[in-house]
Amino acid sequence: MRSENPFLSTREAVCPPNLLEMAQNATSPRVAIARAGAPLPMEAARDATEANIMEPVFTGERHMIEAEAEKLNWDISQFQLIEAEGEADSGMAAAMACGDGRADVMMKGQLHSDTFMRAALARDAGLRTGNRLVHIFHISHPDGGPSITISDAAVNVDPNIETRKDSTREVVKLLHMIGNDRPKVAFLSATESVLPAVPSSVEADELATWAKSEIEGADFSGPLALDLILSPAAVATKKLTADPVAGKADAIIVPDIVSGNSLFKSFVYLTGGCAAGIVMGAKVPVLLTSRADPPAARMASICLAAIANASK
């Protein structure tokens, strides 16, 4: 039998203390949990409620929600419970609660991601703002120190230039919210040269030029390959030390979902980092959690939502 892959970290992810502190200092948002009657969303809701970073609004089948709460010895009688049957109705119940002001954050529970996002995008829900929805991962290292933020790794499959402009705006906005006054943002490609044969390099150059003139309070550079985004040694070797982003990026804007998803999972699985995920661009923060997310990642994601909600 094959042993554990030696490249994988065995560290347990930890919710970043700075995010937790900021969330606890903010007003706790009302979080509408779409189809909450399952172990993972219920445990996340209990832990975050006890940490004073959210107030749950449960949607879904009452008997399932109450049964899961009972397993945790958690009295949920003081919290709002919106009854709904099945995935689609539970997703819409959560979206409508956010749309009409009964909740401040929409969070995925026990339902498929496409059903959840369909509810968030439904016209009747009232969550559309005219902006594109973009997913952002904020990844903290278990030893502390600088974090890295990646967009878009989960929602937009093949984002065009305009979508990546929205991603850039939302990433800078989020980093400002969590205390980074001048984030350094890199546009990912496979090269630092603008090569017509590598479309992502041409687009990265276009995006960097645009961002420098349109977005204040941040530094931008692109195209940059991953080594030049992360490694000061690689930057010195290629004589790019004058670049304000190279070797010290806070955020990476990726050209497609494959590179973004692979990059985010590499940081998480190879370092043991904690990835907080949030969807920006709607009326309220949207939490597209995964069954594979450890408890720390769910807690960190709720922290981000609390911070983002307080900054609206």
Side-chain angles (χ1 to χ4, degrees), residues 210-274:
W210 165 83
K212 289 171 186 176
S213 64
E214 296 294 329
I215 301 178
E216 297 181 351
D219 294 315
F220 303 94
S221 182
L224 289 174
L226 187 61
D227 59 336
L228 295 174
I229 291 174
L230 301 176
S231 170
V235 171
T237 297
K238 295 197 174 183
K239 296 180 172 54
L240 291 177
T241 52
D243 189 296
V245 175
K248 44 187 179 286
D250 300 302
I252 305 171
I253 306 299
V254 301
D256 56 56
I257 196 170
V258 174
S259 55
N261 195 271
S262 300
L263 192 53
F264 132 69
K265 288 177 179 174
S266 296
F267 279 117
V268 170
Y269 283 94
L270 302 184
T271 70
C274 180

Side-chain angles (χ1 to χ4, degrees), residues 170-184:
E170 295 293 350
V171 162
V172 171
K173 185 190 304 182
L174 182 65
L175 290 174
H176 283 166
M177 288 176 186
I178 61 177
N180 188 330
D181 294 333
R182 193 170 185 87
K184 300 180 182 301

